[in-house]
Amino acid sequence: TRLLSYTVFSHGVELDPARGSRVHAQRTTRLATSASSENCKQTAANILHPNGRRRTMLLALALLVAQPARAELVKTYRLPSCVSHADAKRALESQKLHEANRYGPITKKQDGRTALLSYKHPRGGPTQERVEVLADAKDRYAFRVDAASPTVPFGGTFRTCVDVELKRVDDCCVLHVTSRVKWVETRRRPAALVAGRITSAAEKGAAEAYGVFATWLADERPGKKPAKRPFWRRKLVALGAALAAANRFRPRS
C-alpha cells in the first residue's frame, strides 16, 4: 500500500506541476489507498472462502503444470592449447569419453557412419547408444548421440539426445555440447513435475560427461610425458630401500 501510494503521489506531482498538483496527488493517493485496502480484503475473503481456496489452489496447480520446460541444455568446453584437433577427435572415436567417466565394458557395432554401443552406466544401469557422425572435416567434427537406459524410472519413455561439435577456434579446440530429452511415449509420460526433474537430471548428466572428458583429455593427452616425482619423495624412496636392504642383510644373533 505504501509503495502504491508513493507511486501515485509521485506521478500526480509530475503530471500536474502547475496547478495545485500536490493537493491533487494527495487526494489521488487516498483514493488509491482505500481501493487497495478493499482489494486486499476481497482477496483475503476469496482465499478464506472454501470455493475461493479451491480456485486459488487450482490456479496455482495450473500455473505449475503449464510452466514451460527448458528446450535444451547447452555447454561449451574449451580444451587446452596443447590438445590438438586430431588428438581430441581420435579420443572421441575410440570411446575415451566412456573411459573417462568410468562406464562399464563397451560392446560396439560399427555400420558405416553409425555405431551402436552397449555398456553399463554407473547410475543409469544398462545403456544403449546410437552414435551418428554428422560432419568430418579438417577443423570440424560433429556427431549425434541417442541414448536410452530402460532400467531407470520411466526409462522406456524417453531418450537423451546429445549433439556434439568439436571445432578449432583460434589457437585451441572447443567442444560444444547440446543435450535434450525426447519423450517417445507420451501416454506413459509422468506428471509435469516429475518429467521436469527427469529432463533436468538427464540433460545435466549427459552434458557434464563431456566436461569430465575434457578434463581427462588435458591430463592424459597422447605424447604427454609422465610427471616426475618431487626430489624429496625420491629421496625418501631411496632411503626406505636402503634401510630395507640393511635390515635384510643384518647378521642375526
Side-chain angles (χ1 to χ4, degrees):
T1 301
R2 292 180 179 177
L3 179 61
L4 179 62
S5 303
Y6 176 77
T7 304
V8 174
F9 181 80
S10 299
H11 286 191
V13 174
E14 292 177 0
L15 293 177
D16 196 9
R19 53 180 182 78
S21 57
R22 191 170 300 277
V23 176
H24 174 68
Q26 290 177 355
R27 291 177 181 176
T28 308
T29 302
R30 286 196 294 269
L31 291 176
T33 304
S34 60
S36 177
S37 301
E38 292 297 329
N39 291 336
C40 292
K41 292 179 182 179
Q42 185 64 29
T43 304
N46 291 337
I47 295 176
L48 293 176
H49 194 271
N51 294 333
R53 188 185 303 115
R54 189 180 298 109
R55 286 195 297 268
T56 304
M57 293 178 63
L58 291 177
L59 178 60
L61 182 61
L63 291 175
L64 180 63
V65 172
Q67 184 178 4
R70 183 180 62 248
E72 58 188 19
L73 179 63
V74 180
K75 291 279 188 179
T76 301
Y77 302 101
R78 183 178 294 271
L79 303 180
S81 57
C82 55
V83 179
S84 65
H85 184 272
D87 292 339
K89 174 187 172 183
R90 194 178 304 111
L92 288 171
E93 290 177 339
S94 57
Q95 283 74 51
K96 295 300 182 182
L97 167 74
H98 303 74
E99 179 180 341
N101 288 273
R102 298 183 178 181
Y103 294 163
I106 303 173
T107 303
K108 180 179 179 180
K109 295 181 180 180
Q110 189 74 31
D111 185 12
R113 297 171 67 92
T114 305
L116 301 178
L117 305 178
S118 298
Y119 59 89
K120 186 176 181 181
H121 195 279
R123 290 176 294 179
T127 304
Q128 291 81 38
E129 280 187 4
R130 182 181 182 273
V131 184
E132 181 183 1
V133 178
L134 303 178
D136 190 358
K138 181 179 179 181
D139 292 334
R140 182 175 179 268
Y141 179 66
F143 59 93
R144 177 173 297 164
V145 180
D146 293 332
S149 300
T151 58
V152 300
F154 301 98
T157 61
F158 70 93
R159 302 287 185 272
T160 305
C161 306
V162 186
D163 292 334
V164 183
E165 182 183 19
L166 174 67
K167 59 183 180 180
R168 189 163 189 83
V169 179
D170 297 332
D171 59 342
C172 65
C173 293
V174 175
L175 199 61
H176 189 74
V177 182
T178 304
S179 62
R180 61 187 179 276
V181 169
K182 179 181 179 182
W183 296 93
V184 294
E185 294 190 17
T186 55
R187 293 184 178 180
R188 296 173 54 193
R189 180 175 176 173
L193 185 61
V194 179
R197 291 187 177 183
I198 292 175
T199 300
S200 178
E203 291 177 350
K204 183 179 179 182
E208 289 182 349
Y210 288 87
V212 175
F213 167 74
T215 304
W216 177 90
L217 191 61
D219 296 335
E220 303 293 336
R221 64 183 183 275
K224 179 182 178 181
K225 296 181 180 180
K228 294 183 178 181
R229 293 181 178 180
F231 177 76
W232 61 269
R233 186 174 296 180
R234 292 187 306 221
K235 279 288 191 180
L236 287 178
V237 171
L239 180 60
L243 291 177
N247 188 31
R248 181 180 179 182
F249 294 103
R250 185 180 61 182
R252 299 181 179 178
S253 56

